[in-house]
Amino acid sequence: MNKNQAPRDRPWPEFPTSKGLGSFGDANCMEQLLVHCANAIESNDATLAQQILWVLNNIAPPDGDSNQRLTCAFLRALIVRAAKSGTCKLLAAMANARCNLAIENHKFSVVELASFVDLTPWHRFGFTAANAAILEAVEGYSVIHIVDFSLTHCMQIPTLIDAIANRVEGPPLLKLTVAGATEDIPPMLDLSYEELGAKLVNFARYRNIMLEFRVIPSSYTDGFASFIEQLRVQHLVQAESGEALVINCHMMLHCIPEETLSPLPEVPDSNSCPYEPSTLSSLRTMFLKALRGLDPTIVVLVDEDADLTSNNLVCRLRSAFNYLWIPYDTVDTFLRQGSKQRQWYEADICWKIENVIAYEGLQRVERLEPKGRWVQRMRDAGFRGLELGEEVVSEVRGMLDEHAAGWGVKKEEEDHLVLTWKGHNVVFATAWAPA
């Protein structure tokens, strides 16, 4: 297209010929192209959106380098958004076959998921830091009740059982209550929580630990209100036994709706629910206050350190693009192209990108908040930070030695730990107790 054909009110340069596409291949330019495409879709400018789509399809193949694969995933998510919203209807038809709209998320066996999680420090960092903090907090307790809010289907628990089994004072009675979320969010497991619980009970028995397993069906959309209520009743009955109550939150709390989804659901009977209705509090705030009401021994909070909460599509796209390049960049260091595990890994990232870009309201569960915001939430809910000492840092560094050289760990204010990739924040780990 030549200059004379381009409308002057569009802040867009002359489109290149196919021979000149190479200059569009750097990450910054790809990000700008995606931003322009998003703006065109939101303003229902089908012509401009299709022109940008043509460029992106030619410079971002799904089997290209990490930046190209990242851009392809965002392009695909924008097409899904356009198809869902009914704007730019021709966009879906313009999609190149290389940007297949179908995401096939693998359902893992327990063995597959355990191996999959071990491929990268993305989850292992949180497991290692949390387990070390938990072990220190429950020292001397003969009964330990662990409440697990985790997207990784208890993959952290076997290592924790191993560590507890080696305690000097001998193994305790271990109780495990799992928030069995009803929504499907990757990674997904190919067996029920009841079957998973049976496997964990058998593993604990092998390590000479008595484990009581319980799963409570729950939902992110109500801020786990029904789960917390059942837990509260259970804990009131058992609190006199002097058991340690451990709340383990691993990359699940960001699925709870935040302030942008007010007004909050009505609560018919405040006596039967730990959440009191308020237009001034988010479900996240109320959830944390409900946890504080349980008077736990320790709360461990691990999540990804990014901000994907903006209601503005372009702001959200920029934030996601400047965070989710990391998993695409790291995958090249440990999985060969074309391997099944790499397909599974990148399908999970694609799912996250689609959820951030193509969905709104309660369907958009990938609402990450940065560490600083969670820290303030925890303080406001009545918690004080616990130090993650040098022993914890040493264990994390030992784990990172098993992975690529680009991974690192740093201590930030108040002794919170942050996993980094090439100096960029990835995941944070914090520990808390009632103030």
Side-chain angles (χ1 to χ4, degrees):
M1 185 174 72
N2 61 46
K3 285 183 180 178
N4 295 329
Q5 292 174 307
R8 295 187 180 277
D9 59 342
R10 288 176 181 151
W12 191 249
E14 176 181 342
F15 283 99
T17 63
S18 58
K19 291 181 181 179
L21 288 172
S23 62
F24 275 62
D26 68 275
N28 288 334
C29 185
M30 288 179 175
E31 180 185 353
Q32 289 304 314
L33 283 164
L34 288 168
V35 166
H36 280 284
C37 191
N39 280 323
I41 289 172
E42 293 302 278
S43 61
N44 202 19
D45 189 338
T47 301
L48 179 59
Q50 288 159 13
Q51 290 167 347
I52 302 170
L53 175 63
W54 179 86
V55 176
L56 286 167
N57 266 332
N58 279 278
I59 65 173
D63 56 354
D65 63 27
S66 59
N67 284 329
Q68 290 171 323
R69 301 197 309 278
L70 170 69
T71 302
C72 182
F74 274 88
L75 172 60
R76 186 199 153 282
L78 285 170
I79 294 169
V80 172
R81 182 181 180 90
K84 283 176 62 64
S85 65
T87 59
C88 299
K89 290 182 180 179
L90 292 178
L91 251 186
M94 289 289 292
N96 188 286
R98 290 173 299 178
C99 286
N100 189 353
L101 295 186
I103 296 177
E104 294 184 12
N105 286 109
H106 179 67
K107 283 201 169 185
F108 292 89
S109 69
V110 170
V111 173
E112 284 176 340
L113 184 55
S115 299
F116 186 74
V117 165
D118 282 347
L119 287 171
T120 166
W122 205 278
H123 291 293
R124 288 190 75 198
F125 162 77
F127 293 175
T128 304
N131 285 352
I134 290 168
L135 277 176
E136 185 176 335
V138 302
E139 188 175 344
Y141 284 90
S142 59
V143 182
I144 301 171
H145 184 186
I146 299 168
V147 179
D148 195 38
F149 294 93
S150 172
L151 285 183
T152 56
H153 309 288
C154 301
M155 289 299 107
Q156 175 181 344
I157 302 302
T159 310
L160 183 57
I161 289 174
D162 259 337
I164 289 174
N166 293 324
R167 292 197 320 174
V168 175
E169 63 266 43
L173 168 64
L174 199 57
K175 300 176 182 179
L176 177 60
T177 302
V178 175
T182 54
E183 298 89 349
D184 285 332
I185 294 180
M188 292 181 284
L189 208 54
D190 71 349
L191 76 167
S192 69
Y193 271 102
E194 288 72 19
E195 293 170 307
L196 177 62
K199 290 180 181 294
L200 288 170
V201 168
N202 287 335
F203 177 76
R205 187 180 297 123
Y206 170 74
R207 298 297 283 121
N208 296 317
I209 287 182
M210 177 74 72
L211 173 64
E212 297 176 2
F213 180 87
R214 182 187 184 201
V215 60
I216 301 178
S218 55
S219 174
Y220 317 115
T221 56
D222 68 351
F224 297 105
S226 59
F227 178 95
I228 290 292
E229 173 59 14
Q230 290 190 54
L231 188 64
R232 186 180 67 83
V233 172
Q234 177 188 357
H235 185 61
L236 285 174
V237 173
Q238 299 169 344
E240 293 182 3
S241 66
E243 68 181 26
L245 178 62
V246 175
I247 310 290
N248 184 61
C249 305
H250 185 90
M251 299 194 186
M252 185 181 270
L253 298 197
H254 71 254
C255 298
I256 298 174
E258 30 77 51
E259 281 88 347
T260 58
L261 292 178
S262 59
L264 299 171
E266 291 184 7
V267 181
D269 181 3
S270 60
N271 293 322
S272 63
C273 179
Y275 295 178
E276 294 184 5
S278 169
T279 56
L280 300 178
S281 296
S282 71
L283 286 176
R284 294 185 182 188
T285 299
M286 292 194 292
F287 171 80
L288 295 178
K289 287 182 177 178
L291 288 187
R292 175 63 182 84
L294 296 173
D295 198 29
T297 309
I298 184 173
V299 176
V300 181
L301 175 55
V302 175
D303 217 319
E304 295 162 312
D305 197 5
D307 187 354
L308 303 182
T309 58
S310 176
N311 281 329
N312 180 280
L313 174 63
V314 168
C315 290
R316 210 159 67 233
L317 186 152
R318 286 189 184 279
S319 294
F321 191 88
N322 286 286
Y323 177 69
L324 292 172
W325 68 270
I326 296 173
Y328 277 99
D329 194 47
T330 63
V331 73
D332 292 332
T333 67
F334 63 88
L335 288 176
R336 63 178 178 81
Q337 188 171 346
S339 69
K340 281 187 177 180
Q341 284 187 319
R342 180 147 160 178
Q343 291 171 15
W344 299 341
Y345 182 88
E346 295 199 354
D348 281 4
I349 311 170
C350 282
W351 185 96
K352 185 187 290 279
I353 290 170
E354 180 183 312
N355 189 263
V356 170
I357 300 301
Y359 292 86
E360 298 294 347
L362 291 174
Q363 289 183 308
R364 178 157 61 86
V365 299
E366 287 295 329
R367 294 172 176 267
L368 296 174
E369 287 188 300
K371 177 176 71 70
R373 211 175 293 168
W374 279 112
V375 167
Q376 191 59 51
R377 284 187 187 279
M378 293 298 288
R379 287 187 190 136
D380 292 344
F383 290 98
R384 60 180 174 84
L386 297 177
E387 180 182 359
L388 296 174
E390 286 308 312
E391 231 176 87
V392 180
V393 177
S394 179
E395 286 198 39
V396 169
R397 285 189 173 134
M399 179 273 295
L400 292 182
D401 287 342
E402 302 171 23
H403 297 278
W407 293 105
V409 61
K410 64 182 180 182
K411 256 191 174 185
E412 292 195 342
E413 71 281 357
E414 300 185 61
D415 297 311
H416 305 141
L417 295 189
V418 179
L419 175 71
T420 63
W421 171 253
K422 297 180 178 178
H424 297 270
N425 288 12
V426 181
V427 177
F428 67 85
T430 62
W432 305 84

